[in-house]
Amino acid sequence: MKDKVIDIKNLSFVYPDGTRGLREVSLTVYAGESVAIIGPNGAGKSTLLLHLNGVLRGNSTVEICGMPVSDGNLKEIRRKVGLVFQDPDDQLFSLTVFDDVGFGPLNMGCSEAEVKERVSRALEWVGMTGYEKRSPHHLSIGEKKRIAIATVLALDPEVLVLDEPTSNLDPRSKWSLVALLTSLPVTKVIATHDLELVRALCQRVVVLDRGEVVADGPAETILNDLPLLRAHGLAPEG
Amino acid sequence: MKHSFIDQYCDLDSFIHRLDPRTKFVASLAFILAVLLTPAGKWWMFVFYFLIVLGLLIFSRLPPTYALKRSLAVIPFVLLIAIFIPFFKEGEIAGSYNIWLWKISVTYSGLFVLANVVAKAWLCILCLILLSSTTKLTELLRGLQQLGVPQAIVLILSFMYRYIFVLMDEAMRMQQAYQSRDIGGSLLRRLKTFGNMIGALFIRSYERGERIYAAMVSRGFDGQVRILNPLRLKGADVFFGVVFGVLLMSPYIILLVQ
C-alpha cells in the first residue's frame, strides 16, 4: 500500500449559521493520486478543501501525511498542503508577482537567497518566468491562475489542492492549464464540476452531494454512470 | 477592464526614478512643509519653489502635459473649499453684487488669501504628482515601512491599491446590470436601489476580505509581515537630499537676513 497523504474519517462540519457543510465524510488519498471531487453547487466541495489545511476545523481529525491537523503543527500542515483558491484575485493579494509567490516561503522562514530561488523555480514550473515584477492586476485570468498555482508550488507541497481550477477560462487557457497540471508530479485533489477536466486529469472520482460522499471510485466507472451523475445534477436529464 | 494607474509613468528611467523611495518621500514632505510655511504674499518664493518642481519634472522626463493636466484636475477641489474666502474676509471691497435678497461683496484681502491658498495647493499637488509618478507604489510602501510607518497602515494601503480596481470592476458590473433593467421610477426608488448596491458592494468586499485572509493563512501567514532586500541609501540619495534641503531652506535664510 502507498503512503496515505490525506486521511479523513467521519468528518462533519456545521457552519456558525447552522448550515450543514459536511456530514460524516471519509476520504483517503494516497501519494501520487489525482482525485477529483465533483458535485453540484453547494455540495460542500470548498468546505471540504478548507479542512485539508486547517482553515476550517470539524469534529474529527484530518490527518495529513500521518500528522493530525492541530494548532501545534498548522505551519507544517500548510506547507504540505498547497491550497489554490477559486478566484485568483483572492489568492494574489500582493502588489507584485514576486511578493505573492515569495509570500509562503518567507512565512516559512526561508532565507533571502532561498526565497528567490523558490520563486524562480515555481514560476518556471508554471511557465511564467520573467513575470516577477508584474502586478497581478495587469495579468489575464489564465496568467493569474498559473501564478496562483506557483504561489503554493513555491512551498514544495506534498499535495496540491485546487478549487475549480478551470472556472472562467476560455478553452485554450483551460487546456494549457490541464497540460500544466498533468506535468506536475505531485498528488492532486481537484474540486470541480468540469467533467472534461476530470476525464483528462484524474484517475479517481469522489462524488459529493449535500455534504455527503455518495460515490467514490475509478474515474472511468463513475463518469460513465449516467444515472448516478443525473441523480446529483452532474449530467443533463433524460 | 482596463484602468489607468496612479503610477503609470514610474517605469521611465531618470535620476529621480532611481532615487531611494525614502529620499523622495522625505523630500516631498519637506517641500510641502516649506511651501505651506511660506508667508502670504511672498510671491518670489512661490516662483522659486515652482522652478524647483519644474526643474525636477523636466529631469524626471515625465510628459509635461501629463503633469499639468493631472495637477489641474485637483484645482476644482481646492476652489470648492477656498472659493468662499473672498466673500467672508473683511477689508477693502473689490466689488459687490446683489443676488436676490443678499448683498455679496468681495474684498481684496480675501482675494489675496485665495490666491495664496491656490498657489500653495497647486505647488503641493505638483510635488505629489512628481513623487507618485516617479516611484512605484510597491517601492514607496516599502520605503514607508522602513521609515517606521506602522505595519497595519502599510498593509491597508497595499491592499487598497491591489483591490481598488477589482472593486471598481465589481461596481461597474453592478451598475451595468442595474442599467440594463432600469425602467425609470421615482427618485426615491432609484436612491433606494443605489443604497442597496452600496450595501451589496460592502458585503462582497467583506466576504472577499475573508477569502483573502484564508488565502494568506493557507500560506503560513501568522500576523507577522516579512520583507526581503531592505533598501539601502546610495551616495546619490545623500547628494540629492543635501542639495534639495539647501535649496528649500535658502528662501527662508534670505527672509531671515532681511
Side-chain angles (χ1 to χ4, degrees), chain B:
Chain B
M1 215 69 76
K2 293 281 172 217
H3 302 284
S4 64
F5 298 95
I6 58 167
D7 49 2
Q8 68 183 113
Y9 284 107
C10 47
D11 285 329
L12 296 175
D13 188 34
S14 76
F15 166 66
I16 298 175
H17 283 79
R18 282 192 298 265
L19 282 177
D20 189 286
R22 287 172 296 176
T23 313
K24 285 187 269 191
F25 182 75
V26 173
S28 302
L29 270 188
F31 181 86
I32 289 172
L33 208 65
V35 167
L36 290 183
L37 291 178
T38 303
K42 296 278 181 240
W43 301 109
W44 61 272
M45 281 177 75
F46 288 136
V47 171
F48 179 74
Y49 286 132
F50 175 71
L51 287 178
I52 293 184
V53 183
L54 190 70
L56 290 177
L57 276 171
I58 293 168
F59 244 129
S60 70
R61 297 190 198 154
L62 290 179
T65 46
Y66 162 80
L68 196 67
K69 265 192 207 157
R70 260 259 148 96
S71 68
L72 290 182
V74 198
I75 288 293
F77 294 99
V78 179
L79 280 180
L80 199 69
I81 296 166
I83 195 71
F84 295 105
I85 299 173
F87 297 99
F88 293 113
K89 188 93 180 161
E90 290 182 358
E92 193 190 340
I93 289 166
S96 57
Y97 312 91
N98 284 310
I99 299 172
W100 197 36
L101 288 177
W102 291 287
K103 185 173 159 62
I104 291 176
S105 28
V106 175
T107 59
Y108 279 118
S109 57
L111 283 175
F112 176 73
V113 173
L114 176 67
N116 274 293
V117 167
V118 171
K120 286 182 179 183
W122 191 57
L123 283 173
C124 292
I125 288 160
L126 276 180
C127 170
L128 287 179
I129 289 169
L130 184 65
L131 172 69
S132 66
S133 328
T134 57
T135 320
K136 281 206 175 73
L137 208 88
T138 42
E139 291 294 305
L140 191 59
L141 289 177
R142 178 170 291 181
L144 287 181
Q145 194 157 28
Q146 286 192 30
L147 278 172
V149 173
Q151 204 131 64
I153 291 177
V154 175
L155 266 185
I156 289 172
L157 285 174
S158 98
F159 279 126
M160 192 177 81
Y161 183 67
R162 168 67 183 90
Y163 284 103
I164 188 148
F165 301 110
V166 175
L167 279 179
M168 269 164 68
D169 281 345
E170 227 152 275
M172 222 179 288
R173 282 197 300 270
M174 279 166 76
Q175 175 82 8
Q176 284 162 353
Y178 167 69
Q179 277 168 350
S180 25
R181 283 174 297 160
D182 180 22
I183 41 157
S186 67
L187 182 67
L188 186 69
R189 236 199 73 201
R190 279 163 186 261
L191 279 177
K192 254 186 183 166
T193 322
F194 192 61
N196 285 340
M197 273 162 64
I198 292 176
L201 200 61
F202 174 77
I203 291 171
R204 283 192 202 184
S205 317
Y206 176 78
E207 285 176 347
R208 184 180 288 282
E210 289 204 319
R211 292 200 303 272
I212 294 166
Y213 181 68
M216 295 175 77
V217 163
S218 296
R219 279 186 273 149
F221 181 67
D222 51 10
Q224 174 68 34
V225 182
R226 295 166 177 84
I227 47 168
L228 272 187
N229 35 17
L231 301 159
R232 280 178 205 94
L233 286 180
K234 296 181 290 275
D237 291 299
V238 179
F239 175 73
F240 176 83
V242 170
V243 171
F244 191 74
V246 168
L247 273 179
L248 276 187
M249 289 309 295
S250 54
Y252 285 96
I253 293 167
I254 294 173
L255 274 186
L256 275 180
V257 170
Q258 278 176 349

Side-chain angles (χ1 to χ4, degrees), chain A residues 33-158:
Chain A
E33 270 192 314
S34 283
V35 180
I37 298 175
I38 64 173
N41 292 331
K45 302 189 292 287
S46 304
T47 312
L48 179 59
L49 297 194
L50 287 174
H51 278 85
L52 297 181
N53 70 355
V55 173
L56 293 180
R57 244 46 105 66
N59 65 328
S60 92
T61 46
V62 175
E63 281 189 17
I64 305 294
C65 303
M67 278 197 305
V69 176
S70 67
D71 287 325
N73 59 14
L74 274 184
K75 223 167 193 176
E76 190 56 24
I77 297 283
R78 285 172 180 162
R79 197 197 63 70
K80 286 188 185 323
V81 181
L83 180 54
V84 181
F85 286 70
Q86 178 175 359
D87 184 350
D89 275 329
D90 296 337
Q91 181 98 19
L92 306 177
F93 43 76
S94 308
L95 295 177
T96 65
V97 167
F98 179 89
D99 286 348
D100 250 324
V101 181
F103 185 80
L106 255 184
N107 281 331
M108 296 302 160
C110 294
S111 68
E112 179 172 340
E114 199 182 345
V115 171
K116 282 184 179 155
E117 198 233 298
R118 278 171 181 261
V119 170
S120 58
R121 187 156 38 108
L123 287 178
E124 194 186 325
W125 243 340
V126 299
M128 292 273 111
T129 303
Y131 277 65
E132 282 90 341
K133 293 210 160 161
R134 301 275 294 271
S135 311
H137 55 237
H138 286 296
L139 305 175
S140 74
I141 297 182
E143 289 168 332
K144 283 186 198 170
K145 291 253 178 183
R146 282 167 175 263
I147 306 280
I149 293 173
T151 63
V152 302
L153 287 181
L155 290 169
D156 282 329
E158 301 281 332

